Amino acid sequence: MPLPRTPSFRLDGKRALVTGGSRGIGLGCAVALAEAGAHVIVAARSAAQVQATVDEMAQAGFSAEALVLDVTDIAAVQAAVAELAPIDILVNSAGLARHSPALETTPEDFDAVAAINIKAAYFLAQTVARQMVGRGGSIIQISSQMAHVGGIDRAVYCGTKHAVEGMTKAMAIEWGPEQIRVNTICPTFILTELTKPTFDDPEKREWIASKIKLPRVGQVEDIMGACLFLASDASALVTGTSLLVDGGWTAG
Ligand code: NAP
């Protein structure tokens, strides 16, 4: 009997759109996909940062192009995706946190965080999925461990990330017959610009150290393998679920 063959982690010939790809977790995902052979479209608002990222990726021998895009502008997202050749992989890493005690949350902060973490994530997935109908594809939302637990000063952020999990499950049910897989990656605290205020706060640092079981916080590199797995045929039967990269935070 022939031995089973490990499905390929390679992405040669695939095209990926990575929002928030200019820095942080999105950049890690963009590099992981490019290293596996995909052509990567790096999207974010800052034209200079997007271009600098793409230039650096090109220098490293990767295939990448820049897309200046504000994902909260749904019409702009629809127009930009319509201009692109078909996308096989979407990684949505554009996101926002504005932390405050729940008793003090302002409607402005709530709306700003919900606009990107929920509404933009929803319509980005919808826009790309419409293009994937008949071809299939993999949609990966960068969610958070905070989509599975609560956290200090994070009621809005937690709420928005829990919403991402809900939409992911529902979209996976609807789009499964089209071979469109929809999953989330749920990182613990990763050292990036987004989490700098948290790491600068000694009380929060203590909280983080008390919750993570492995004896360190995360780095962008910790997310790259998860992204490659969910983007590739290695996860061909995985949909509607979340891959926790949380150092054991949610284990208890
Ligand atoms: P980051 O370092 O602040 O990077 C955010 C990226 O998103 C940048 O490329 C930024 O570029 C882009 N972006 C922000 N607003 C945008 C918009 N409206 N339209 C398009 N692009 C936009 O953040 P990160 O730490 O990598 O976080 C990425 C994702 O992971 C977020 O969804 C976050 O909630 C999630 N996450 C992070 C952690 C963590 O510990 N870092 C943990 C769990 C989950 P521009 O500003 O130029 O647009």
mmCIF file with all atom_site columns, all heavy atoms in Angstrom, residues 103-128:
data_model
loop_
_atom_site.group_PDB
_atom_site.id
_atom_site.type_symbol
_atom_site.label_atom_id
_atom_site.label_alt_id
_atom_site.label_comp_id
_atom_site.label_asym_id
_atom_site.label_entity_id
_atom_site.label_seq_id
_atom_site.pdbx_PDB_ins_code
_atom_site.Cartn_x
_atom_site.Cartn_y
_atom_site.Cartn_z
_atom_site.occupancy
_atom_site.B_iso_or_equiv
_atom_site.pdbx_formal_charge
_atom_site.auth_seq_id
_atom_site.auth_comp_id
_atom_site.auth_asym_id
_atom_site.auth_atom_id
_atom_site.pdbx_PDB_model_num
ATOM 1   N N   . LEU A 1 103 ? -16.267 50.914 32.779 1.00 0.00 ? 103 LEU A N   1
ATOM 2   C CA  . LEU A 1 103 ? -17.099 52.002 33.307 1.00 0.00 ? 103 LEU A CA  1
ATOM 3   C C   . LEU A 1 103 ? -16.799 53.329 32.614 1.00 0.00 ? 103 LEU A C   1
ATOM 4   O O   . LEU A 1 103 ? -17.574 54.275 32.711 1.00 0.00 ? 103 LEU A O   1
ATOM 5   C CB  . LEU A 1 103 ? -16.876 52.161 34.823 1.00 0.00 ? 103 LEU A CB  1
ATOM 6   C CG  . LEU A 1 103 ? -17.444 51.056 35.711 1.00 0.00 ? 103 LEU A CG  1
ATOM 7   C CD1 . LEU A 1 103 ? -17.060 51.285 37.174 1.00 0.00 ? 103 LEU A CD1 1
ATOM 8   C CD2 . LEU A 1 103 ? -18.973 50.978 35.584 1.00 0.00 ? 103 LEU A CD2 1
ATOM 9   N N   . GLU A 1 104 ? -15.682 53.396 31.931 1.00 0.00 ? 104 GLU A N   1
ATOM 10  C CA  . GLU A 1 104 ? -15.252 54.667 31.336 1.00 0.00 ? 104 GLU A CA  1
ATOM 11  C C   . GLU A 1 104 ? -15.233 54.675 29.815 1.00 0.00 ? 104 GLU A C   1
ATOM 12  O O   . GLU A 1 104 ? -14.871 55.683 29.200 1.00 0.00 ? 104 GLU A O   1
ATOM 13  C CB  . GLU A 1 104 ? -13.843 55.012 31.862 1.00 0.00 ? 104 GLU A CB  1
ATOM 14  C CG  . GLU A 1 104 ? -13.830 55.314 33.347 1.00 0.00 ? 104 GLU A CG  1
ATOM 15  C CD  . GLU A 1 104 ? -12.422 55.329 33.931 1.00 0.00 ? 104 GLU A CD  1
ATOM 16  O OE1 . GLU A 1 104 ? -11.450 55.500 33.165 1.00 0.00 ? 104 GLU A OE1 1
ATOM 17  O OE2 . GLU A 1 104 ? -12.302 55.145 35.163 1.00 0.00 ? 104 GLU A OE2 1
ATOM 18  N N   . THR A 1 105 ? -15.587 53.574 29.173 1.00 0.00 ? 105 THR A N   1
ATOM 19  C CA  . THR A 1 105 ? -15.532 53.516 27.706 1.00 0.00 ? 105 THR A CA  1
ATOM 20  C C   . THR A 1 105 ? -16.388 54.609 27.081 1.00 0.00 ? 105 THR A C   1
ATOM 21  O O   . THR A 1 105 ? -17.536 54.816 27.494 1.00 0.00 ? 105 THR A O   1
ATOM 22  C CB  . THR A 1 105 ? -16.056 52.139 27.207 1.00 0.00 ? 105 THR A CB  1
ATOM 23  O OG1 . THR A 1 105 ? -15.316 51.121 27.832 1.00 0.00 ? 105 THR A OG1 1
ATOM 24  C CG2 . THR A 1 105 ? -15.932 52.025 25.694 1.00 0.00 ? 105 THR A CG2 1
ATOM 25  N N   . THR A 1 106 ? -15.837 55.285 26.086 1.00 0.00 ? 106 THR A N   1
ATOM 26  C CA  . THR A 1 106 ? -16.623 56.309 25.377 1.00 0.00 ? 106 THR A CA  1
ATOM 27  C C   . THR A 1 106 ? -17.243 55.702 24.122 1.00 0.00 ? 106 THR A C   1
ATOM 28  O O   . THR A 1 106 ? -16.671 54.771 23.529 1.00 0.00 ? 106 THR A O   1
ATOM 29  C CB  . THR A 1 106 ? -15.726 57.485 24.948 1.00 0.00 ? 106 THR A CB  1
ATOM 30  O OG1 . THR A 1 106 ? -14.763 56.995 23.994 1.00 0.00 ? 106 THR A OG1 1
ATOM 31  C CG2 . THR A 1 106 ? -15.001 58.105 26.140 1.00 0.00 ? 106 THR A CG2 1
ATOM 32  N N   . PRO A 1 107 ? -18.369 56.262 23.674 1.00 0.00 ? 107 PRO A N   1
ATOM 33  C CA  . PRO A 1 107 ? -18.967 55.780 22.425 1.00 0.00 ? 107 PRO A CA  1
ATOM 34  C C   . PRO A 1 107 ? -18.006 55.935 21.246 1.00 0.00 ? 107 PRO A C   1
ATOM 35  O O   . PRO A 1 107 ? -18.005 55.116 20.333 1.00 0.00 ? 107 PRO A O   1
ATOM 36  C CB  . PRO A 1 107 ? -20.193 56.685 22.248 1.00 0.00 ? 107 PRO A CB  1
ATOM 37  C CG  . PRO A 1 107 ? -20.524 57.145 23.625 1.00 0.00 ? 107 PRO A CG  1
ATOM 38  C CD  . PRO A 1 107 ? -19.209 57.260 24.353 1.00 0.00 ? 107 PRO A CD  1
ATOM 39  N N   . GLU A 1 108 ? -17.165 56.979 21.285 1.00 0.00 ? 108 GLU A N   1
ATOM 40  C CA  . GLU A 1 108 ? -16.221 57.210 20.175 1.00 0.00 ? 108 GLU A CA  1
ATOM 41  C C   . GLU A 1 108 ? -15.215 56.058 20.084 1.00 0.00 ? 108 GLU A C   1
ATOM 42  O O   . GLU A 1 108 ? -14.940 55.545 18.994 1.00 0.00 ? 108 GLU A O   1
ATOM 43  C CB  . GLU A 1 108 ? -15.469 58.538 20.370 1.00 0.00 ? 108 GLU A CB  1
ATOM 44  C CG  . GLU A 1 108 ? -16.328 59.785 20.216 1.00 0.00 ? 108 GLU A CG  1
ATOM 45  C CD  . GLU A 1 108 ? -17.275 60.024 21.407 1.00 0.00 ? 108 GLU A CD  1
ATOM 46  O OE1 . GLU A 1 108 ? -16.988 59.539 22.528 1.00 0.00 ? 108 GLU A OE1 1
ATOM 47  O OE2 . GLU A 1 108 ? -18.322 60.678 21.200 1.00 0.00 ? 108 GLU A OE2 1
ATOM 48  N N   . ASP A 1 109 ? -14.669 55.685 21.239 1.00 0.00 ? 109 ASP A N   1
ATOM 49  C CA  . ASP A 1 109 ? -13.702 54.577 21.231 1.00 0.00 ? 109 ASP A CA  1
ATOM 50  C C   . ASP A 1 109 ? -14.379 53.273 20.811 1.00 0.00 ? 109 ASP A C   1
ATOM 51  O O   . ASP A 1 109 ? -13.816 52.486 20.044 1.00 0.00 ? 109 ASP A O   1
ATOM 52  C CB  . ASP A 1 109 ? -13.047 54.416 22.619 1.00 0.00 ? 109 ASP A CB  1
ATOM 53  C CG  . ASP A 1 109 ? -11.935 55.430 22.839 1.00 0.00 ? 109 ASP A CG  1
ATOM 54  O OD1 . ASP A 1 109 ? -11.570 56.140 21.877 1.00 0.00 ? 109 ASP A OD1 1
ATOM 55  O OD2 . ASP A 1 109 ? -11.437 55.530 23.982 1.00 0.00 ? 109 ASP A OD2 1
ATOM 56  N N   . PHE A 1 110 ? -15.583 53.057 21.320 1.00 0.00 ? 110 PHE A N   1
ATOM 57  C CA  . PHE A 1 110 ? -16.319 51.842 20.948 1.00 0.00 ? 110 PHE A CA  1
ATOM 58  C C   . PHE A 1 110 ? -16.486 51.787 19.429 1.00 0.00 ? 110 PHE A C   1
ATOM 59  O O   . PHE A 1 110 ? -16.194 50.773 18.790 1.00 0.00 ? 110 PHE A O   1
ATOM 60  C CB  . PHE A 1 110 ? -17.695 51.835 21.640 1.00 0.00 ? 110 PHE A CB  1
ATOM 61  C CG  . PHE A 1 110 ? -18.475 50.567 21.402 1.00 0.00 ? 110 PHE A CG  1
ATOM 62  C CD1 . PHE A 1 110 ? -18.557 49.581 22.382 1.00 0.00 ? 110 PHE A CD1 1
ATOM 63  C CD2 . PHE A 1 110 ? -19.107 50.342 20.185 1.00 0.00 ? 110 PHE A CD2 1
ATOM 64  C CE1 . PHE A 1 110 ? -19.260 48.403 22.157 1.00 0.00 ? 110 PHE A CE1 1
ATOM 65  C CE2 . PHE A 1 110 ? -19.809 49.161 19.948 1.00 0.00 ? 110 PHE A CE2 1
ATOM 66  C CZ  . PHE A 1 110 ? -19.888 48.194 20.938 1.00 0.00 ? 110 PHE A CZ  1
ATOM 67  N N   . ASP A 1 111 ? -16.951 52.892 18.849 1.00 0.00 ? 111 ASP A N   1
ATOM 68  C CA  . ASP A 1 111 ? -17.211 52.908 17.397 1.00 0.00 ? 111 ASP A CA  1
ATOM 69  C C   . ASP A 1 111 ? -15.932 52.703 16.593 1.00 0.00 ? 111 ASP A C   1
ATOM 70  O O   . ASP A 1 111 ? -15.935 51.994 15.581 1.00 0.00 ? 111 ASP A O   1
ATOM 71  C CB  . ASP A 1 111 ? -17.860 54.236 16.989 1.00 0.00 ? 111 ASP A CB  1
ATOM 72  C CG  . ASP A 1 111 ? -19.324 54.296 17.415 1.00 0.00 ? 111 ASP A CG  1
ATOM 73  O OD1 . ASP A 1 111 ? -19.884 53.244 17.778 1.00 0.00 ? 111 ASP A OD1 1
ATOM 74  O OD2 . ASP A 1 111 ? -19.907 55.407 17.387 1.00 0.00 ? 111 ASP A OD2 1
ATOM 75  N N   . ALA A 1 112 ? -14.833 53.329 17.041 1.00 0.00 ? 112 ALA A N   1
ATOM 76  C CA  . ALA A 1 112 ? -13.580 53.225 16.284 1.00 0.00 ? 112 ALA A CA  1
ATOM 77  C C   . ALA A 1 112 ? -13.072 51.784 16.268 1.00 0.00 ? 112 ALA A C   1
ATOM 78  O O   . ALA A 1 112 ? -12.649 51.276 15.223 1.00 0.00 ? 112 ALA A O   1
ATOM 79  C CB  . ALA A 1 112 ? -12.525 54.152 16.888 1.00 0.00 ? 112 ALA A CB  1
ATOM 80  N N   . VAL A 1 113 ? -13.139 51.127 17.421 1.00 0.00 ? 113 VAL A N   1
ATOM 81  C CA  . VAL A 1 113 ? -12.625 49.757 17.506 1.00 0.00 ? 113 VAL A CA  1
ATOM 82  C C   . VAL A 1 113 ? -13.557 48.794 16.760 1.00 0.00 ? 113 VAL A C   1
ATOM 83  O O   . VAL A 1 113 ? -13.103 47.918 16.020 1.00 0.00 ? 113 VAL A O   1
ATOM 84  C CB  . VAL A 1 113 ? -12.431 49.344 18.986 1.00 0.00 ? 113 VAL A CB  1
ATOM 85  C CG1 . VAL A 1 113 ? -11.983 47.888 19.096 1.00 0.00 ? 113 VAL A CG1 1
ATOM 86  C CG2 . VAL A 1 113 ? -11.404 50.254 19.660 1.00 0.00 ? 113 VAL A CG2 1
ATOM 87  N N   . ALA A 1 114 ? -14.869 49.003 16.926 1.00 0.00 ? 114 ALA A N   1
ATOM 88  C CA  . ALA A 1 114 ? -15.819 48.127 16.240 1.00 0.00 ? 114 ALA A CA  1
ATOM 89  C C   . ALA A 1 114 ? -15.741 48.303 14.725 1.00 0.00 ? 114 ALA A C   1
ATOM 90  O O   . ALA A 1 114 ? -15.897 47.344 13.964 1.00 0.00 ? 114 ALA A O   1
ATOM 91  C CB  . ALA A 1 114 ? -17.238 48.408 16.732 1.00 0.00 ? 114 ALA A CB  1
ATOM 92  N N   . ALA A 1 115 ? -15.474 49.525 14.277 1.00 0.00 ? 115 ALA A N   1
ATOM 93  C CA  . ALA A 1 115 ? -15.452 49.802 12.831 1.00 0.00 ? 115 ALA A CA  1
ATOM 94  C C   . ALA A 1 115 ? -14.383 48.980 12.128 1.00 0.00 ? 115 ALA A C   1
ATOM 95  O O   . ALA A 1 115 ? -14.593 48.480 11.017 1.00 0.00 ? 115 ALA A O   1
ATOM 96  C CB  . ALA A 1 115 ? -15.199 51.290 12.585 1.00 0.00 ? 115 ALA A CB  1
ATOM 97  N N   . ILE A 1 116 ? -13.257 48.819 12.776 1.00 0.00 ? 116 ILE A N   1
ATOM 98  C CA  . ILE A 1 116 ? -12.187 48.054 12.107 1.00 0.00 ? 116 ILE A CA  1
ATOM 99  C C   . ILE A 1 116 ? -12.220 46.580 12.498 1.00 0.00 ? 116 ILE A C   1
ATOM 100 O O   . ILE A 1 116 ? -12.152 45.703 11.638 1.00 0.00 ? 116 ILE A O   1
ATOM 101 C CB  . ILE A 1 116 ? -10.801 48.706 12.348 1.00 0.00 ? 116 ILE A CB  1
ATOM 102 C CG1 . ILE A 1 116 ? -9.697  47.924 11.630 1.00 0.00 ? 116 ILE A CG1 1
ATOM 103 C CG2 . ILE A 1 116 ? -10.464 48.891 13.811 1.00 0.00 ? 116 ILE A CG2 1
ATOM 104 C CD1 . ILE A 1 116 ? -8.415  48.685 11.471 1.00 0.00 ? 116 ILE A CD1 1
ATOM 105 N N   . ASN A 1 117 ? -12.372 46.311 13.806 1.00 0.00 ? 117 ASN A N   1
ATOM 106 C CA  . ASN A 1 117 ? -12.261 44.912 14.246 1.00 0.00 ? 117 ASN A CA  1
ATOM 107 C C   . ASN A 1 117 ? -13.459 44.060 13.827 1.00 0.00 ? 117 ASN A C   1
ATOM 108 O O   . ASN A 1 117 ? -13.309 42.848 13.624 1.00 0.00 ? 117 ASN A O   1
ATOM 109 C CB  . ASN A 1 117 ? -12.089 44.841 15.767 1.00 0.00 ? 117 ASN A CB  1
ATOM 110 C CG  . ASN A 1 117 ? -10.731 45.342 16.228 1.00 0.00 ? 117 ASN A CG  1
ATOM 111 O OD1 . ASN A 1 117 ? -9.934  45.818 15.427 1.00 0.00 ? 117 ASN A OD1 1
ATOM 112 N ND2 . ASN A 1 117 ? -10.459 45.246 17.522 1.00 0.00 ? 117 ASN A ND2 1
ATOM 113 N N   . ILE A 1 118 ? -14.644 44.681 13.720 1.00 0.00 ? 118 ILE A N   1
ATOM 114 C CA  . ILE A 1 118 ? -15.822 43.893 13.330 1.00 0.00 ? 118 ILE A CA  1
ATOM 115 C C   . ILE A 1 118 ? -16.249 44.221 11.898 1.00 0.00 ? 118 ILE A C   1
ATOM 116 O O   . ILE A 1 118 ? -16.229 43.368 11.011 1.00 0.00 ? 118 ILE A O   1
ATOM 117 C CB  . ILE A 1 118 ? -17.037 44.138 14.260 1.00 0.00 ? 118 ILE A CB  1
ATOM 118 C CG1 . ILE A 1 118 ? -16.704 43.825 15.712 1.00 0.00 ? 118 ILE A CG1 1
ATOM 119 C CG2 . ILE A 1 118 ? -18.218 43.284 13.807 1.00 0.00 ? 118 ILE A CG2 1
ATOM 120 C CD1 . ILE A 1 118 ? -17.850 44.071 16.686 1.00 0.00 ? 118 ILE A CD1 1
ATOM 121 N N   . LYS A 1 119 ? -16.627 45.501 11.663 1.00 0.00 ? 119 LYS A N   1
ATOM 122 C CA  . LYS A 1 119 ? -17.261 45.819 10.374 1.00 0.00 ? 119 LYS A CA  1
ATOM 123 C C   . LYS A 1 119 ? -16.288 45.630 9.209  1.00 0.00 ? 119 LYS A C   1
ATOM 124 O O   . LYS A 1 119 ? -16.632 45.016 8.192  1.00 0.00 ? 119 LYS A O   1
ATOM 125 C CB  . LYS A 1 119 ? -17.798 47.258 10.408 1.00 0.00 ? 119 LYS A CB  1
ATOM 126 C CG  . LYS A 1 119 ? -18.701 47.572 9.230  1.00 0.00 ? 119 LYS A CG  1
ATOM 127 C CD  . LYS A 1 119 ? -19.353 48.934 9.389  1.00 0.00 ? 119 LYS A CD  1
ATOM 128 C CE  . LYS A 1 119 ? -20.187 49.275 8.162  1.00 0.00 ? 119 LYS A CE  1
ATOM 129 N NZ  . LYS A 1 119 ? -20.715 50.643 8.227  1.00 0.00 ? 119 LYS A NZ  1
ATOM 130 N N   . ALA A 1 120 ? -15.071 46.155 9.355  1.00 0.00 ? 120 ALA A N   1
ATOM 131 C CA  . ALA A 1 120 ? -14.110 46.006 8.263  1.00 0.00 ? 120 ALA A CA  1
ATOM 132 C C   . ALA A 1 120 ? -13.759 44.536 8.048  1.00 0.00 ? 120 ALA A C   1
ATOM 133 O O   . ALA A 1 120 ? -13.663 44.074 6.898  1.00 0.00 ? 120 ALA A O   1
ATOM 134 C CB  . ALA A 1 120 ? -12.856 46.812 8.562  1.00 0.00 ? 120 ALA A CB  1
ATOM 135 N N   . ALA A 1 121 ? -13.592 43.793 9.142  1.00 0.00 ? 121 ALA A N   1
ATOM 136 C CA  . ALA A 1 121 ? -13.263 42.364 9.023  1.00 0.00 ? 121 ALA A CA  1
ATOM 137 C C   . ALA A 1 121 ? -14.377 41.631 8.273  1.00 0.00 ? 121 ALA A C   1
ATOM 138 O O   . ALA A 1 121 ? -14.114 40.769 7.429  1.00 0.00 ? 121 ALA A O   1
ATOM 139 C CB  . ALA A 1 121 ? -13.070 41.757 10.414 1.00 0.00 ? 121 ALA A CB  1
ATOM 140 N N   . TYR A 1 122 ? -15.616 42.003 8.564  1.00 0.00 ? 122 TYR A N   1
ATOM 141 C CA  . TYR A 1 122 ? -16.769 41.346 7.943  1.00 0.00 ? 122 TYR A CA  1
ATOM 142 C C   . TYR A 1 122 ? -16.813 41.604 6.427  1.00 0.00 ? 122 TYR A C   1
ATOM 143 O O   . TYR A 1 122 ? -16.898 40.687 5.606  1.00 0.00 ? 122 TYR A O   1
ATOM 144 C CB  . TYR A 1 122 ? -18.062 41.862 8.595  1.00 0.00 ? 122 TYR A CB  1
ATOM 145 C CG  . TYR A 1 122 ? -19.302 41.107 8.178  1.00 0.00 ? 122 TYR A CG  1
ATOM 146 C CD1 . TYR A 1 122 ? -19.815 40.090 8.982  1.00 0.00 ? 122 TYR A CD1 1
ATOM 147 C CD2 . TYR A 1 122 ? -19.954 41.387 6.979  1.00 0.00 ? 122 TYR A CD2 1
ATOM 148 C CE1 . TYR A 1 122 ? -20.944 39.379 8.591  1.00 0.00 ? 122 TYR A CE1 1
ATOM 149 C CE2 . TYR A 1 122 ? -21.076 40.675 6.575  1.00 0.00 ? 122 TYR A CE2 1
ATOM 150 C CZ  . TYR A 1 122 ? -21.572 39.679 7.394  1.00 0.00 ? 122 TYR A CZ  1
ATOM 151 O OH  . TYR A 1 122 ? -22.675 38.975 7.017  1.00 0.00 ? 122 TYR A OH  1
ATOM 152 N N   . PHE A 1 123 ? -16.720 42.890 6.073  1.00 0.00 ? 123 PHE A N   1
ATOM 153 C CA  . PHE A 1 123 ? -16.906 43.224 4.657  1.00 0.00 ? 123 PHE A CA  1
ATOM 154 C C   . PHE A 1 123 ? -15.685 42.909 3.801  1.00 0.00 ? 123 PHE A C   1
ATOM 155 O O   . PHE A 1 123 ? -15.813 42.660 2.601  1.00 0.00 ? 123 PHE A O   1
ATOM 156 C CB  . PHE A 1 123 ? -17.382 44.674 4.510  1.00 0.00 ? 123 PHE A CB  1
ATOM 157 C CG  . PHE A 1 123 ? -18.825 44.800 4.895  1.00 0.00 ? 123 PHE A CG  1
ATOM 158 C CD1 . PHE A 1 123 ? -19.200 45.275 6.146  1.00 0.00 ? 123 PHE A CD1 1
ATOM 159 C CD2 . PHE A 1 123 ? -19.817 44.353 4.042  1.00 0.00 ? 123 PHE A CD2 1
ATOM 160 C CE1 . PHE A 1 123 ? -20.528 45.337 6.519  1.00 0.00 ? 123 PHE A CE1 1
ATOM 161 C CE2 . PHE A 1 123 ? -21.157 44.410 4.402  1.00 0.00 ? 123 PHE A CE2 1
ATOM 162 C CZ  . PHE A 1 123 ? -21.519 44.906 5.649  1.00 0.00 ? 123 PHE A CZ  1
ATOM 163 N N   . LEU A 1 124 ? -14.514 42.889 4.435  1.00 0.00 ? 124 LEU A N   1
ATOM 164 C CA  . LEU A 1 124 ? -13.322 42.436 3.732  1.00 0.00 ? 124 LEU A CA  1
ATOM 165 C C   . LEU A 1 124 ? -13.495 40.955 3.365  1.00 0.00 ? 124 LEU A C   1
ATOM 166 O O   . LEU A 1 124 ? -13.255 40.539 2.223  1.00 0.00 ? 124 LEU A O   1
ATOM 167 C CB  . LEU A 1 124 ? -12.115 42.627 4.650  1.00 0.00 ? 124 LEU A CB  1
ATOM 168 C CG  . LEU A 1 124 ? -10.740 42.566 4.048  1.00 0.00 ? 124 LEU A CG  1
ATOM 169 C CD1 . LEU A 1 124 ? -10.552 43.592 2.945  1.00 0.00 ? 124 LEU A CD1 1
ATOM 170 C CD2 . LEU A 1 124 ? -9.728  42.809 5.142  1.00 0.00 ? 124 LEU A CD2 1
ATOM 171 N N   . ALA A 1 125 ? -13.896 40.160 4.340  1.00 0.00 ? 125 ALA A N   1
ATOM 172 C CA  . ALA A 1 125 ? -14.122 38.728 4.085  1.00 0.00 ? 125 ALA A CA  1
ATOM 173 C C   . ALA A 1 125 ? -15.192 38.547 3.012  1.00 0.00 ? 125 ALA A C   1
ATOM 174 O O   . ALA A 1 125 ? -15.025 37.750 2.077  1.00 0.00 ? 125 ALA A O   1
ATOM 175 C CB  . ALA A 1 125 ? -14.535 38.025 5.385  1.00 0.00 ? 125 ALA A CB  1
ATOM 176 N N   . GLN A 1 126 ? -16.290 39.316 3.126  1.00 0.00 ? 126 GLN A N   1
ATOM 177 C CA  . GLN A 1 126 ? -17.363 39.187 2.137  1.00 0.00 ? 126 GLN A CA  1
ATOM 178 C C   . GLN A 1 126 ? -16.866 39.521 0.731  1.00 0.00 ? 126 GLN A C   1
ATOM 179 O O   . GLN A 1 126 ? -17.146 38.819 -0.246 1.00 0.00 ? 126 GLN A O   1
ATOM 180 C CB  . GLN A 1 126 ? -18.515 40.139 2.498  1.00 0.00 ? 126 GLN A CB  1
ATOM 181 C CG  . GLN A 1 126 ? -19.683 40.077 1.543  1.00 0.00 ? 126 GLN A CG  1
ATOM 182 C CD  . GLN A 1 126 ? -20.549 41.334 1.610  1.00 0.00 ? 126 GLN A CD  1
ATOM 183 O OE1 . GLN A 1 126 ? -20.074 42.439 1.343  1.00 0.00 ? 126 GLN A OE1 1
ATOM 184 N NE2 . GLN A 1 126 ? -21.801 41.166 2.003  1.00 0.00 ? 126 GLN A NE2 1
ATOM 185 N N   . THR A 1 127 ? -16.114 40.631 0.629  1.00 0.00 ? 127 THR A N   1
ATOM 186 C CA  . THR A 1 127 ? -15.646 41.096 -0.675 1.00 0.00 ? 127 THR A CA  1
ATOM 187 C C   . THR A 1 127 ? -14.722 40.074 -1.324 1.00 0.00 ? 127 THR A C   1
ATOM 188 O O   . THR A 1 127 ? -14.870 39.750 -2.514 1.00 0.00 ? 127 THR A O   1
ATOM 189 C CB  . THR A 1 127 ? -14.901 42.450 -0.509 1.00 0.00 ? 127 THR A CB  1
ATOM 190 O OG1 . THR A 1 127 ? -15.772 43.357 0.151  1.00 0.00 ? 127 THR A OG1 1
ATOM 191 C CG2 . THR A 1 127 ? -14.488 43.012 -1.843 1.00 0.00 ? 127 THR A CG2 1
ATOM 192 N N   . VAL A 1 128 ? -13.791 39.545 -0.552 1.00 0.00 ? 128 VAL A N   1
ATOM 193 C CA  . VAL A 1 128 ? -12.844 38.567 -1.106 1.00 0.00 ? 128 VAL A CA  1
ATOM 194 C C   . VAL A 1 128 ? -13.559 37.239 -1.377 1.00 0.00 ? 128 VAL A C   1
ATOM 195 O O   . VAL A 1 128 ? -13.303 36.590 -2.403 1.00 0.00 ? 128 VAL A O   1
ATOM 196 C CB  . VAL A 1 128 ? -11.639 38.400 -0.149 1.00 0.00 ? 128 VAL A CB  1
ATOM 197 C CG1 . VAL A 1 128 ? -10.758 37.244 -0.577 1.00 0.00 ? 128 VAL A CG1 1
ATOM 198 C CG2 . VAL A 1 128 ? -10.823 39.690 -0.102 1.00 0.00 ? 128 VAL A CG2 1
#
